[in-house]
Amino acid sequence: MASLTPISQSQSLFNKTQFLANPSLGSDFLPKKISVSFPKMTTRFPMKAAAAGVVSATTAEMPKKRYPGEAKGFVEEMRFVAMKLHTRDQAKEGEKEVKEPQERPVAKWDPTLDGYLRFLVDSKLVYDTLEGIVDKAPFPSYAEFRDTGLERSEKLAKDLEWFKEQGHAIPEPSAPGVTYAEYLKELSEKDPQAFLCHFYNIYFAHSAGGRMIGKKVAEMILDKKDLEFYKWDGELSQLLQNVREKLNKVAESWTREEKNHCLEETEKSFKHSGEILRLILS
């Protein structure tokens, strides 16, 4: 006579089967085969393997941290960080409080011609330095940024020559420009991520806020004279896009830590550029 399985054992099997068939757990957690034999009604499934699968799947499903702008490329990450360091008057994304005179709206500035000349001279030193570094390319990636059309040294040389023809004495570079140029030289030899942060912020800031400042200052003290510093050969938007693509391409080979290091250098770039900009009001 065949023996009957106790009710408690059948109920236990029923509960286990419910666990295995629970659709909320997902098919990845189900064992590939369930073997059942009578009359002992024993069920075998790889508990250790299933547990390991749970850990593995959980780890794989953890969402990767996304950085603001990352989906559009690294230049968008750089732009996002830079915008946060503007004041609300300078950019709608700005979060910085106005502390320095040059951070006030340009309409409230009181520029001087001597100060503007010092600004142009120090700016030329910085652009001379940037373009010399890119030309020598101590790191191969720098060579990507030769002849971009954004270069400013020759344009500034023409402007300073014009001022000289008008009878103005051209000053020597002052401390803000000399300090920044030396910093860029040192950085370029040992830290390409940080150097390219400055490269991006200097050129792109000039193409945006820099142009607006140049226009306002020209209206105030130069009888609306259009300086070469604020002119580009070719379509500026396309020149900028070409450099964006090059920067994104170079950054593709960087680790996340290297990208973060680049972004962290943004504040120093703003500090040095701000000290040169302040010369306009001196």
Side-chain angles (χ1 to χ4, degrees):
M1 179 177 179
S3 61
L4 296 176
T5 303
I7 294 176
S8 60
Q9 185 175 346
S10 299
Q11 185 64 41
S12 174
L13 176 61
F14 174 75
N15 290 339
K16 292 179 182 178
T17 306
Q18 274 194 318
F19 169 79
L20 293 171
N22 189 341
S24 67
L25 296 176
S27 60
D28 290 344
F29 295 93
L30 295 178
K32 299 299 182 182
K33 181 178 180 181
I34 299 177
S35 175
V36 181
S37 61
F38 295 93
K40 292 184 179 181
M41 295 290 288
T42 58
T43 305
R44 301 194 306 272
F45 56 95
M47 290 298 293
K48 291 184 179 180
V54 171
V55 174
S56 176
T58 301
T59 302
E61 291 171 4
M62 288 181 66
K64 177 185 176 183
K65 180 179 178 180
R66 303 290 289 181
Y67 291 80
E70 184 179 4
K72 294 183 179 180
F74 186 62
V75 170
E76 184 64 16
E77 292 187 53
M78 298 171 79
R79 190 198 70 82
F80 182 87
V81 173
M83 288 299 101
K84 294 293 183 183
L85 294 176
H86 286 73
T87 65
R88 288 299 298 272
D89 287 326
Q90 294 170 335
K92 63 181 180 180
E93 303 103 316
E95 296 181 353
K96 193 176 187 299
E97 294 182 7
V98 176
K99 295 181 180 180
E100 302 294 342
Q102 75 274 10
E103 294 172 346
R104 294 178 299 170
V106 181
K108 297 181 180 180
W109 285 16
D110 187 17
T112 67
L113 186 55
D114 288 343
Y116 193 47
L117 277 171
R118 283 193 287 271
F119 163 74
L120 294 175
V121 168
D122 279 30
S123 294
K124 184 177 184 301
L125 177 60
V126 170
Y127 283 106
D128 285 345
T129 302
L130 278 174
E131 290 160 26
I133 290 169
V134 167
D135 187 53
K136 293 179 181 177
F139 284 89
S141 59
Y142 297 173
E144 292 285 338
F145 305 101
R146 294 172 182 158
D147 302 319
T148 63
L150 299 182
E151 292 80 13
R152 298 290 87 196
S153 291
E154 290 185 8
K155 300 287 188 180
L156 280 163
K158 292 179 180 179
D159 287 332
L160 292 173
E161 183 61 30
W162 179 83
F163 277 103
K164 187 176 180 179
E165 292 171 355
Q166 306 307 306
H168 299 288
I170 307 302
E172 292 296 317
S174 60
V178 172
T179 300
Y180 198 11
E182 287 301 318
Y183 181 69
L184 290 171
K185 288 177 184 177
E186 295 174 6
L187 207 59
S188 68
E189 296 287 344
K190 61 183 180 181
D191 196 337
Q193 286 78 29
F195 171 74
L196 287 176
C197 172
H198 289 265
F199 178 93
Y200 163 78
N201 281 291
I202 291 170
Y203 283 107
F204 278 68
H206 179 65
S207 71
R211 283 195 298 164
M212 181 189 69
I213 291 170
K215 181 179 179 181
K216 291 294 183 182
V217 171
E219 291 173 356
M220 293 174 177
I221 63 175
L222 293 179
D223 195 26
K224 299 184 179 181
K225 164 71 176 177
D226 290 329
L227 296 183
E228 295 298 314
F229 189 29
Y230 305 100
K231 298 177 184 178
W232 286 263
D233 299 324
E235 187 65 35
L236 177 58
S237 60
Q238 187 59 54
L239 297 176
L240 292 170
Q241 181 58 28
N242 293 341
V243 174
R244 283 191 195 96
E245 292 174 0
K246 290 175 182 292
L247 283 166
N248 281 333
K249 180 180 178 182
V250 168
E252 286 177 359
S253 64
W254 295 352
T255 65
R256 185 65 250 179
E257 289 72 20
E258 288 172 331
K259 290 179 179 179
N260 290 346
H261 176 61
C262 175
L263 297 176
E264 290 164 0
E265 190 71 15
T266 306
E267 193 165 357
K268 289 183 181 179
S269 175
F270 271 59
K271 174 181 176 293
H272 285 290
S273 295
E275 289 173 352
I276 294 175
L277 189 61
R278 191 185 307 163
L279 292 171
I280 298 176
L281 306 178
S282 62

